[in-house]
Amino acid sequence: GSNFFSKIMKKNHQDISVHMFLFVKSLVVCFYKKNAKEFDLADEYRYWTMFRINKMKIENGEKKEFIVSDTETGQSITLVANTLEDKNGWVKRISREIRSVDKKVMKLMVPTASI
């Protein structure tokens, strides 16, 4: 799924429209630019960054904000949803994917008895 967000950069606090795509193994964040031209057919999406679900952490921020971090590299971004409902939905879906991956990893780590 995808939705519109703004990214807040730590140093220059510039809001940038982005679109997120959540997959089973990753969260992809793209720059989003609405097409203002009358006869072009599509809006523009440009890849910006990706977070692997198995190396990802999500935290609630203030109001409509949430923070996505890469636990391996330390890279993090603050995303701002259009509404509180959007934020809660994204945090819930991303958290569910993280828990699912964590369960699979733990299952693989449990030794099995051999006879």
Side-chain angles (χ1 to χ4, degrees), residues 3-66:
N3 214 327
F4 298 99
F5 293 81
S6 293
K7 177 195 68 117
I8 299 176
M9 298 175 73
K10 286 183 181 178
K11 292 182 181 175
N12 64 3
H13 296 292
Q14 181 181 6
D15 288 352
I16 299 169
S17 291
V18 297
H19 214 92
M20 297 190 331
F21 301 90
L22 180 61
F23 299 98
V24 174
K25 293 184 179 182
S26 61
L27 173 74
V28 175
V29 182
C30 296
F31 291 112
Y32 171 74
K33 183 178 177 186
K34 180 124 179 91
N35 188 352
K37 296 180 183 175
E38 193 172 336
F39 297 108
D40 284 343
L41 299 176
D43 294 339
E44 185 177 315
Y45 299 90
R46 288 194 179 176
Y47 174 84
W48 175 44
T49 191
M50 178 188 75
F51 293 89
R52 294 177 301 178
I53 297 294
N54 65 335
K55 305 285 184 195
M56 188 173 146
K57 179 174 80 169
I58 187 165
E59 301 172 63
N60 268 308
E62 296 181 21
K63 300 178 184 171
K64 299 183 284 182
E65 297 178 356
F66 60 98

